[in-house]
Amino acid sequence: MVKKKGKSKRITLKDKYKVERRVTEAHRKSRKKAKRDTKAGIKRFDHKTRKDPGIPNSWPFKKELLNEIAQARDLAEKRKELQKLQRSRGDLVDDGG
């Protein structure tokens, strides 16, 4: 049995340049959109950023570290609320050290 030949990959130059032009237009359009988004403050999803895996269970003094992180978070939240309250009353903002 004779094996059939596959389809030729030759392409006319007109079609080749048309594809190149469309690709460059698409890239230009996406760059413009990204620039507009950054100016507008919209964050785009980045595949390179990874989620924080957290603290492994084998970490020594894990509970103490988690407590310190929680206390720091609470302190920052209280400080933020205090600044918001002071701003609403028109007082000067003092970050308290």
Side-chain angles (χ1 to χ4, degrees):
M1 189 167 182
V2 180
K3 197 173 187 184
K4 273 191 162 182
K5 290 187 176 181
K7 186 180 178 188
S8 173
K9 295 187 180 183
R10 287 189 177 189
I11 188 170
T12 62
L13 291 177
K14 175 186 170 187
D15 292 339
K16 177 183 174 182
Y17 295 137
K18 187 177 8 173
V19 169
E20 283 182 5
R21 191 183 74 239
R22 285 183 179 171
V23 167
T24 54
E25 285 176 5
H27 288 315
R28 185 180 306 128
K29 192 173 182 181
S30 66
R31 282 196 306 265
K32 278 186 174 182
K33 186 175 181 349
K35 193 183 289 186
R36 268 186 268 137
D37 288 348
T38 54
K39 283 185 180 178
I42 300 170
K43 291 186 179 181
R44 297 180 62 183
F45 179 73
D46 189 13
H47 294 283
K48 293 178 185 175
T49 57
R50 296 282 181 210
K51 187 176 176 182
D52 182 24
I55 305 165
N57 286 331
S58 61
W59 194 268
F61 308 111
K62 178 182 176 180
K63 288 184 181 179
E64 289 84 352
L65 184 60
L66 288 174
N67 288 336
E68 288 177 16
I69 293 171
Q71 287 175 353
R73 191 182 314 120
D74 292 341
L75 182 65
E77 188 176 315
K78 286 179 185 177
R79 185 175 290 160
K80 194 179 238 184
E81 288 178 13
L82 180 65
Q83 287 178 349
K84 187 177 180 181
L85 182 66
Q86 288 177 345
R87 249 184 280 129
S88 67
R89 287 192 299 166
D91 294 345
L92 292 175
V93 177
D94 183 27
D95 49 350

